[in-house]
Amino acid sequence: ERYFVSSAVQFVLDEEFDQDDPISVEMMPLYQCLHINEKLGRRAEFRRSFTEDRSDQLSLILASPVQFALASLGPFESMLHDVIGFFIVEHNIMASAPDFRSKSDVDALWDTGIAKLSDIIARNIQAIREDAEVSGVLQELLTTFTYVMEENSYDVRKLRELMMAIFES
């Protein structure tokens, strides 16, 4: 099941992102590690370690300090870009090695990421609501983030609910 942003927003975003240039991620090092660990009989241990490492990596991305003032939204935008990259890699791993990285593993990480992102925004809600320019830029950033994640098959309903709570109240 897919959810889309409004057709007007989607049209603009389609223009910004050239769909003819697919994103490719070099996965050969991961496949080599999988093969080596399988031959050594340590596949389950490698999978567990990889899962823990990816969770730690996501926590590090979302631990970046951000402030919601117009002059300082750059770090938040960078954080969103890092989250997009992180989950594009997860999507590629899941698609190319489904017996190694399950949809439930990735969905759990996604839910964790959205919860932490929501917490960051909640801690800054006063600054967002007090400054119309910050609110507008944040809405644009979150709309683009939602669209990109949706295009990569992530469930963005919680993001949409968050955006509705922030911008339509």
Side-chain angles (χ1 to χ4, degrees):
E1 185 173 10
R2 296 188 62 170
Y3 303 89
F4 294 98
V5 291
S6 73
S7 58
V9 171
Q10 191 164 335
F11 175 77
V12 170
L13 292 173
D14 282 343
E15 292 296 312
E16 290 179 14
F17 299 102
D18 188 1
Q19 304 261 335
D20 295 334
D21 295 334
I23 297 171
S24 87
V25 178
E26 176 58 49
M27 304 301 289
M28 189 56 68
L30 175 62
Y31 301 144
Q32 290 170 336
C33 287
L34 279 169
H35 178 74
I36 290 167
N37 280 281
E38 190 167 312
K39 293 297 179 188
L40 293 173
R42 299 176 58 188
R43 183 180 176 97
E45 182 181 332
F46 177 65
R47 184 175 189 263
R48 188 172 32 262
S49 173
F50 185 87
T51 299
E52 289 171 8
D53 289 347
R54 290 298 283 168
S55 179
D56 290 345
Q57 289 167 357
L58 180 60
S59 292
L60 282 173
I61 290 169
L62 293 168
S64 303
V66 294
Q67 292 180 343
F68 286 77
L70 193 56
S72 61
L73 279 174
F76 183 72
E77 183 175 14
S78 292
M79 177 192 298
L80 290 178
H81 292 170
D82 290 346
V83 171
I84 288 169
F86 179 91
F87 281 105
I88 287 173
V89 168
E90 285 296 319
H91 180 77
N92 283 326
I93 294 169
M94 186 177 60
S96 63
D99 57 328
F100 175 67
R101 200 78 173 131
S102 71
K103 181 163 175 30
S104 63
D105 289 341
V106 176
D107 286 346
L109 267 178
W110 174 248
D111 290 343
T112 298
I114 295 306
K116 287 182 179 181
L117 188 61
S118 296
D119 288 345
I120 291 168
I121 292 170
R123 285 193 309 265
N124 291 280
I125 195 68
Q126 185 174 355
I128 295 166
R129 291 198 170 146
E130 287 176 353
D131 189 329
E133 285 186 85
V134 168
S135 181
V137 171
L138 182 63
Q139 186 172 14
E140 183 181 317
L141 291 173
L142 289 174
T143 299
T144 302
F145 177 76
T146 301
Y147 176 76
V148 171
M149 298 315 297
E150 184 176 61
E151 285 297 306
N152 283 278
S153 303
Y154 287 95
D155 182 358
V156 296
R157 286 179 286 191
K158 289 180 183 175
L159 279 171
R160 285 220 174 82
E161 290 169 7
L162 174 65
M163 290 174 63
M164 285 176 51
I166 295 169
F167 303 113
E168 296 190 16
S169 59

